[in-house]
Amino acid sequence: KLTHRDMGPRVRYLGDDVPSEVMIWQDPLAAATTKPVNARQIKQLKRSIAATNLSVADLVGTAWASAASFRGSDMRGGANGARVSLVPQKDWTGNQPEKLARVLDALKGVQSDFNDNSRRGQVSLADIIVLGGAVGVERAAKEAGNEVSVPFVPGRVDALQEQTDAVSFAVLEPTADAFRNYFNVSQAYRSPAEMMVDKADQLQLSVPEMTVLLGGMRSLGISSNGYGVYTDDVNTLTNDHFSTLLDMSVEWKPNGTGNSYEGFDRVSGERIRTASRADLVFGSNSQLRALAEVYASHDAKDKFTNDFISSWNKVMNADRFDT
């Protein structure tokens, strides 16, 4: 028999035998009551989001926290429903609750202003969160000299707290997320590098997609412990992470915590940077190093940006079973 594990959220159920009774463990979402926002309204919303005092890291990090809860193993989680604003997700340690609350308050303000003044359609917080991530990526790419447009498909809805089984969703809490350099030593069941691969697999990412996403996130300052950020401008989307990581003039030494390393200049002995084990595996593993060298190349900047956006969009829409 097919189970919830096989079929995922209720929206994926097909056929005449679907029970009419809606159970909370089916991760129900209400049907949209208005048409999705159109292209003109999306531009308006982008301007409103950009007018907030939210940084690129704020926007990108919150969109990631929302969408990267998706699990390809059972099709649960993801941005649709905006459950990142509800218990238990809003309180997950990896989501940095205080920072998340501040960003969500600002995005809810954008949503409220739009919905109060819109004559056609309403926008969900779920859409605002993902669109905010797109605004952040576009802003960072523009700072690097690339005028790009991040694809955005509206139509997400917001879940209610009473539609969200906190106990059931608690099992989705990440014990590690290398893309944010988050690793819970007491709860993680494998090494940081293995947990990174596991997370990428749950997000249904290929190895190149995993690589470019991690490098791009670091360039935007997305690192819960501050390790692996090798740029002077975290508002610019660049391949600096890989070009710096592969610098052979640096000798890496563990600092005794088990998941962090310090880099020392081989000549002067000066401590110049830090990294996690998830960062350094892109220099030590032959296959990952080959990918890192491609993205670190001086002539790969456009490829890096385009591949990052493609991979980013894949994560943002992983749970869109309605499109």
Side-chain angles (χ1 to χ4, degrees):
K1 292 183 178 180
L2 289 175
T3 66
H4 184 48
R5 177 196 63 203
D6 304 303
M7 296 185 291
R10 183 178 175 82
V11 69
R12 288 172 48 86
Y13 296 5
L14 302 174
D16 298 329
D17 295 327
V18 176
S20 58
E21 184 179 9
V22 178
M23 308 295 289
I24 192 172
W25 52 264
Q26 295 172 321
D27 303 346
L29 290 172
T33 57
T34 63
K35 292 182 179 180
V37 289
N38 57 33
R40 179 183 61 80
Q41 291 171 316
I42 290 173
K43 290 181 180 179
Q44 176 187 342
L45 286 166
K46 281 186 172 182
R47 290 193 295 269
S48 297
I49 293 171
T52 66
N53 62 352
L54 297 175
S55 67
V56 168
D58 288 336
L59 295 169
V60 172
T62 299
W64 181 266
S66 181
S69 60
F70 179 75
R71 302 196 313 188
S73 57
D74 55 11
M75 306 299 173
R76 300 187 66 206
N80 203 0
R83 286 190 167 97
V84 73
S85 66
L86 305 174
V87 175
Q89 292 189 38
K90 71 181 185 67
D91 299 317
W92 287 350
T93 303
N95 287 346
Q96 298 178 290
E98 291 185 4
K99 178 180 178 180
L100 176 64
R102 174 178 59 82
V103 177
L104 289 177
D105 281 346
L107 295 180
K108 287 176 181 177
V110 173
Q111 178 198 17
S112 179
D113 288 344
F114 177 86
N115 289 345
D116 289 346
N117 296 287
S118 176
R119 296 182 179 180
R120 178 196 178 279
Q122 302 281 281
V123 68
S124 66
L125 178 61
D127 270 348
I128 290 287
I129 290 171
V130 174
L131 186 59
V135 170
V137 173
E138 289 175 359
R139 182 193 301 174
K142 184 176 181 180
E143 287 293 320
N146 293 313
E147 290 278 357
V148 297
S149 178
V150 177
F152 173 73
V153 180
R156 296 170 184 82
V157 297
D158 294 334
L160 303 175
Q161 187 65 63
E162 52 265 34
Q163 294 174 313
T164 305
D165 182 6
V167 174
S168 175
F169 270 95
V171 300
L172 271 67
E173 180 176 3
T175 57
D177 183 348
F179 299 96
R180 293 183 282 182
N181 235 346
Y182 172 69
F183 186 77
N184 189 319
V185 177
S186 64
Q187 295 182 0
Y189 49 88
R190 290 192 179 121
S191 71
E194 290 173 313
M195 293 295 288
M196 175 183 67
V197 173
D198 184 62
K199 181 70 173 178
D201 182 59
Q202 290 283 15
L203 292 173
Q204 301 179 324
L205 297 171
S206 67
V207 178
E209 289 170 337
M210 175 187 76
T211 302
V212 73
L213 272 174
L214 187 140
M217 298 277 277
R218 290 292 188 280
S219 77
L220 301 180
I222 309 297
S223 177
S224 64
N225 52 24
Y227 299 141
V229 178
Y230 307 136
T231 177
D232 295 328
D233 185 3
V234 294
N235 294 310
T236 304
L237 180 62
T238 67
N239 61 350
D240 288 352
H241 177 75
F242 291 126
S243 59
T244 305
L245 179 70
L246 301 179
D247 182 0
M248 295 303 295
S249 68
V250 177
E251 179 183 9
W252 291 98
K253 298 178 182 179
N255 69 0
T257 65
N259 186 37
S260 55
Y261 293 76
E262 296 178 334
F264 297 86
D265 185 280
R266 292 183 186 275
V267 176
S268 68
E270 179 187 2
R271 175 183 175 276
I272 55 178
R273 60 184 65 110
T274 60
S276 68
R277 291 176 68 183
D279 291 322
L280 293 185
V281 73
F282 288 92
S284 61
N285 179 276
S286 60
Q287 296 180 47
L288 294 180
R289 185 182 180 92
L291 289 167
E293 288 177 348
V294 170
Y295 286 123
S297 301
H298 181 72
D299 59 355
K301 293 181 179 179
D302 289 343
K303 174 178 174 57
F304 178 86
T305 300
N306 293 332
D307 287 1
F308 178 86
I309 291 174
S310 175
S311 304
W312 173 268
N313 193 48
K314 182 175 182 178
V315 174
M316 292 300 112
N317 292 286
D319 67 334
R320 292 301 302 276
F321 310 117
D322 56 335
T323 58

